[in-house]
């Protein structure tokens, strides 16, 4: 429950670091976090793990969290769900039988949430995650299309991150690939 409202399928709830929160039963989620080896537990729902009440309260931010901005369309297939200092989270919906190139100068995490295809050398389907470390990877989409959650360090979305290479052959040079200026801004 978040502010007295039960989450629904496909909800995105941004919980800034230091916010006391709980994840209820029967919820499947993708939790994007900064690298940290710290978790302070106030309550553990009947499990026998150590609690850290004093540390949790000391590290918490007691102010109400900032207002979450609504999703923002970058292109027909890219929607920014969260853009914050620690990370950007996008939903990417790719058309069936298309080919894309993901090119990033920083680490990125991809989670397939619908459909199947190939990312780099790995065949992927719903629930599978791929980590990319400042590199590029081809993305080949299967016959039913594919939806992906993509997270990378923030604070701003990277317009040139994903290029549509559907009409290009595998031997095409980078000079023939679409440029970032070809990304279409879609009003929301």
């Amino acid at each position: 429950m978040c502010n007295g409202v039960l989450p629904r399928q496909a909800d995105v709830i941004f919980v800034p670091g230091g916010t006391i929160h709980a994840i209820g039963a029967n919820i499947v989620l993708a939790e994007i976090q900064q690298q940290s080896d710290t978790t302070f537990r106030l309550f553990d729902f009947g499990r026998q793990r150590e609690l850290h009440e004093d540390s949790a309260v000391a590290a918490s931010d007691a102010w109400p969290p900032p207002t979450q901005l609504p999703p923002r369309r970058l292109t027909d297939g890219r929607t920014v769900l969260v853009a914050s200092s620690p990370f950007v989270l996008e939903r990417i919906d790719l058309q069936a039988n298309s080919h894309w190139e993901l090119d990033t100068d920083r680490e990125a995490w991809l989670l397939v949430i619908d459909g199947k295809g190939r990312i780099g050398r790995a065949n992927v389907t719903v629930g599978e995650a791929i980590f990319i470390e400042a590199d590029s990877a081809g993305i080949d989409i299967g016959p039913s299309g594919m939806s992906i959650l993509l997270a990378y360090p923030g604070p701003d979305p990277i317009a040139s991150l994903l290029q549509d290479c559907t009409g290009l052959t595998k031997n095409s040079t980078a000079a023939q690939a679409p440029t970032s200026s070809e990304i279409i801004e879609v009003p929301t």
Side-chain angles (χ1 to χ4, degrees):
M1 198 172 333
C2 181
N3 296 328
V5 178
L6 291 173
R8 296 180 315 269
Q9 184 175 345
D11 277 354
V12 174
I13 301 168
F14 178 52
V15 180
T19 304
I20 296 173
H21 62 284
I23 302 164
N26 301 317
I27 294 177
V28 176
L29 61 91
E31 187 173 10
I32 313 302
Q33 298 181 348
Q34 289 177 272
Q35 295 178 359
S36 171
D37 292 330
T38 306
T39 295
F40 298 128
R41 289 184 190 85
L42 289 170
F43 185 75
D44 206 19
F45 301 96
R47 296 183 198 157
Q48 300 304 312
R49 296 186 290 185
E50 180 182 0
L51 300 181
H52 317 93
E53 293 96 341
D54 292 339
S55 296
V57 170
S60 68
D61 184 350
W63 300 104
T67 301
Q68 183 172 332
L69 297 175
R72 179 173 50 116
R73 302 268 324 247
L74 290 180
T75 66
D76 285 338
R78 289 177 65 189
T79 303
V80 175
L81 303 172
V82 174
S84 67
S85 295
F87 66 90
V88 173
L89 176 65
E90 295 186 26
R91 178 185 172 122
I92 301 176
D93 297 301
L94 302 172
Q95 294 180 344
N97 302 312
S98 59
H99 176 73
W100 298 81
E101 186 73 20
L102 177 74
D103 190 16
T104 180
D105 63 350
R106 61 197 75 186
E107 58 191 28
W109 306 266
L110 296 94
L111 174 65
V112 179
I113 59 173
D114 191 32
K116 59 184 174 180
R118 185 172 187 82
I119 300 175
R121 296 181 182 168
N123 290 323
V124 294
T125 189
V126 174
E128 294 185 304
I130 300 286
F131 173 73
I132 296 174
E133 187 174 13
D135 202 353
S136 62
I139 302 176
D140 294 305
I141 309 306
S144 61
M146 188 162 62
S147 294
I148 299 168
L149 291 180
L150 171 65
Y152 51 90
D156 299 312
I158 303 170
S160 62
L161 187 70
L162 191 65
Q163 301 298 322
D164 185 353
C165 301
T166 302
L168 304 176
T169 64
K170 298 229 183 225
N171 295 329
S172 295
T173 65
Q176 295 170 311
T179 65
S180 61
S181 65
E182 293 178 82
I183 292 179
I184 301 166
E185 290 294 325
V186 178
T188 55

